[in-house]
Amino acid sequence: MSDTTAEMTPANALLTLGEKQLELPLLVGSEGERAIDIQSLRARTGCITFDPGYGNTGSCESAITFIDGEQGILRYRGIPIEQFENGASFTEVALLLLCGELPSQAEYDLFSADLTRFANLDEGMKHQFEGFPRSAPPMAILSAMINSLSCFHPELHALDDAEQVRQAAARLISKVRTIAAYAFRHSRGLPYIYPDQNLRYVPNLLHMMFSQPYQQYVCPQLVREALNLILILHADHEQNCSTSTVRLVGSSGANLFTSCAAGVCALWGPLHGGANVEVLDMLERIHQGHISPEEYVRLAKNKDSKVRLMGFGHRVYKNFDPRARMLGAIAERLLPQLAGNDPLLEIARRLEEIALSDSYFIERKLYPNVDFYSGVLLRAIGIPTNMFTVVFAIGRLPGWIAHWWEQNRTPGSRIGRPRQIYTGAQERDYRPIDQRIESKRMTS
Ligand code: CMC
């Protein structure tokens, strides 16, 4: 038995550390989640906690999104995400996350009008796109250009009240769509298409991506509905890697644009939002006959292969990710109408079937996550693969802003600054260069 044990009492936790005993407060969330408050631990014991990957660490209290990973539950401000499937718009969900309540008609209209009003980019920003090579990944451009908004809106660096935040959020949520569309046009060498004030959020994005100067893109109703729902389902997911990044950067006092630009960088990684691109690559490889679904799953189980079944597994969900369930059902329903019989959907279904009946995936509780079906759907509505993660970022932006603001207005919020266990060399002397022995070793 170790000399460190933690016991729970209804009101606190009792920690025994060698000879010492100390009581630590127990926090209980509104859905009954419990946490041991260790804020005084180091001062009282000299010890820190060790939790690489933060799987057991609560970094904040938050009233925005609730996840029950065991049950497969996801709620925005208390509302189950399944309820957004029938008629909710991404704009109202964004307001719900930002403000805590669903907007009234007047609030909705005002915010929608702001989204329209702020859609244009300063011409100076437009010229910046020319500096990027054609082959630049759109996620790199997105992050750079969101950061660039800090240069064009110094008046929005310090946000002190909810109305200022609402205004800044409207600018950012609106302009990110224009930036995304221009990044796409740039990669194709196409002229930029200005936003159309008569179009709502989703059709305007598609218009800026796909219209030509001589031909207006007409957005089919099904495409609008599917993309609207995809954005809603990505809108927030509590303390994931990119949201935690936004909070960490914001905790230093960094402005909203810069903090969200950092969020884009975190989202880009293949283990996070970049997985939607990886899933499609995986499905394409199987479709092109390079490997069978059975062989792929076998490979994903072999640790030496470094291959993972992309779109499977989640830090929090140990059951179906409800977003994957919804996206899978939508893909099933809409794909025949949008893209005929897509062989990639068949392959995805087959992979899911094999994995869900395989003891490796069952024992580790690995289920399809949000990225497993989103790529097939995005492809069907005409979004190119290199824009998949950009669409994820557009969807996630309201969540990032809501978290940035929640942290900003939390009394006593401190700069994020984890500790470490140092494992390097102990104290030693500096040697002049002519007295050093050549070392071939690279330090890690
Ligand atoms: N394929 C094969 N094995 C897997 C997979 C997978 N997709 N995911 C996890 N495992 C195994 C892993 O090898 C480990 O096995 P063992 O216990 O034998 O060492 C076990 O399952 C636990 O995995 P972990 O890496 O410790 O879990 P994590 O919570 O650190 O990582 C994850 C979560 C999502 C990064 C991981 O499941 C993964 O890499 N999945 C594939 C990438 C992916 O789809 N990412 C999207 C995540 S959801 C949306 C988002 O966040 O943007």
Side-chain angles (χ1 to χ4, degrees):
M1 201 174 133
S2 102
D3 68 349
T4 305
T5 55
E7 291 168 21
M8 299 289 199
T9 70
N12 58 28
L14 196 59
L15 178 74
T16 307
L17 186 63
E19 301 289 289
K20 223 172 179 173
Q21 276 215 328
L22 65 151
E23 280 190 23
L24 295 166
L26 202 60
L27 303 179
V28 184
S30 53
E31 291 286 346
E33 291 169 304
R34 297 188 304 170
I36 302 166
D37 180 348
I38 53 130
Q39 289 183 81
S40 66
L41 185 69
R42 187 169 180 278
R44 291 164 72 189
T45 65
C47 280
I48 59 170
T49 56
F50 187 61
D51 187 21
Y54 310 124
N56 303 281
T57 299
S59 59
C60 61
E61 291 180 313
S62 179
I64 300 170
T65 287
F66 172 70
I67 302 176
D68 182 329
E70 274 70 35
Q71 309 276 341
I73 290 172
L74 170 60
R75 300 182 197 134
Y76 297 159
R77 300 283 189 186
I79 303 175
I81 49 152
E82 289 79 6
Q83 294 185 17
F84 296 119
E85 196 172 349
N86 300 320
S89 76
F90 174 61
T91 303
E92 66 179 329
V93 170
L95 275 171
L96 169 71
L97 291 168
L98 290 170
C99 307
E101 295 296 336
L102 286 165
S104 66
Q105 188 66 53
E107 289 163 337
Y108 179 81
D109 291 345
L110 181 68
F111 195 69
S112 292
D114 281 347
L115 291 180
T116 304
R117 193 153 63 93
F118 296 139
N120 230 346
L121 299 182
D122 187 290
E123 286 292 298
M125 273 191 85
K126 207 178 89 180
H127 295 315
Q128 288 183 30
F129 283 89
E130 301 311 320
F132 293 109
R134 283 270 175 85
S135 57
M139 283 298 272
I141 298 183
L142 189 69
S143 172
M145 297 307 269
I146 290 178
N147 206 12
S148 190
L149 284 171
S150 309
C151 311
F152 290 88
H153 295 286
E155 79 283 5
L156 296 175
H157 283 195
L159 303 174
D160 298 323
D161 63 45
E163 180 47 28
Q164 285 177 359
V165 173
R166 204 193 59 81
Q167 287 277 326
R171 276 194 168 76
L172 189 43
I173 292 172
S174 182
K175 289 183 193 303
V176 75
R177 173 185 56 165
T178 316
I179 294 171
Y182 283 17
F184 167 67
R185 307 283 302 190
H186 178 70
S187 72
R188 296 285 168 100
L190 295 168
Y192 305 121
I193 301 289
Y194 286 102
D196 180 339
Q197 62 168 356
N198 298 311
L199 294 176
R200 291 291 183 159
Y201 194 83
V202 168
N204 218 345
L205 167 64
L206 295 166
H207 155 70
M208 285 188 277
M209 284 181 75
F210 300 130
S211 283
Q212 300 298 351
Y214 50 86
Q215 192 174 40
Q216 178 92 1
Y217 168 83
V218 180
C219 180
Q221 182 69 14
L222 271 182
V223 168
R224 175 195 312 212
E225 283 171 17
L227 189 52
N228 177 61
L229 196 65
I230 289 171
L231 294 179
I232 290 175
L233 294 182
H234 287 83
D236 192 43
H237 212 236
E238 51 117 305
Q239 311 308 321
N240 57 84
C241 177
S242 56
T243 303
S244 296
T245 300
V246 171
R247 277 185 175 261
L248 192 61
V249 174
S251 77
S252 72
N255 72 64
L256 177 65
F257 302 118
T258 294
S259 305
C260 289
V264 172
C265 296
L267 186 72
W268 191 6
L271 296 187
H272 193 6
N276 55 15
V277 175
E278 304 285 328
V279 169
L280 212 83
D281 287 350
M282 172 181 82
L283 298 177
E284 287 280 14
R285 278 189 63 206
I286 295 172
H287 179 51
Q288 286 162 13
H290 296 298
I291 186 166
S292 71
E294 289 77 9
E295 280 164 337
Y296 197 96
V297 171
R298 242 193 320 274
L299 208 59
K301 294 192 292 181
N302 176 1
K303 296 284 188 294
D304 295 334
S305 74
K306 306 269 184 255
V307 169
R308 286 196 163 190
L309 184 56
M310 298 312 284
F312 254 74
H314 198 276
R315 172 62 60 79
V316 180
Y317 293 117
K318 300 302 164 201
N319 198 327
F320 261 92
D321 177 337
R323 303 166 300 174
R325 209 192 276 279
M326 287 173 77
L327 288 170
I330 298 162
E332 204 73 63
R333 189 157 45 83
L334 295 191
L335 247 61
Q337 299 171 63
L338 288 168
N341 281 337
D342 187 347
L344 297 198
L345 180 62
E346 302 291 316
I347 294 169
R349 287 287 185 221
R350 179 73 192 126
L351 281 172
E352 180 181 344
E353 192 187 354
I354 299 169
L356 292 183
S357 55
D358 188 303
S359 59
Y360 174 97
F361 291 87
I362 295 169
E363 279 158 20
R364 290 171 179 77
K365 301 186 174 157
L366 303 171
Y367 290 86
N369 62 47
V370 67
D371 294 312
F372 195 66
Y373 286 108
S374 64
V376 193
L377 254 177
L378 286 169
R379 196 172 89 120
I381 60 181
I383 306 288
T385 314
N386 69 344
M387 291 294 288
F388 285 4
T389 318
V390 172
V391 171
F392 192 151
I394 297 173
R396 183 54 55 88
L397 196 56
W400 289 338
I401 301 171
H403 282 273
W404 182 91
W405 175 232
E406 183 179 67
Q407 170 177 265
N408 242 265
R409 60 162 203 254
T410 301
S413 226
R414 301 170 78 199
I415 188 166
R417 205 301 184 188
R419 294 216 174 226
Q420 64 167 16
I421 298 291
Y422 175 67
T423 58
Q426 292 190 319
E427 185 176 351
R428 54 191 179 143
D429 291 328
Y430 171 82
R431 277 176 207 258
I433 198 159
D434 58 351
Q435 293 173 23
R436 292 176 210 160
I437 305 156
E438 193 174 329
S439 165
K440 295 263 187 292
R441 282 177 299 139
M442 288 286 291
T443 51
S444 53

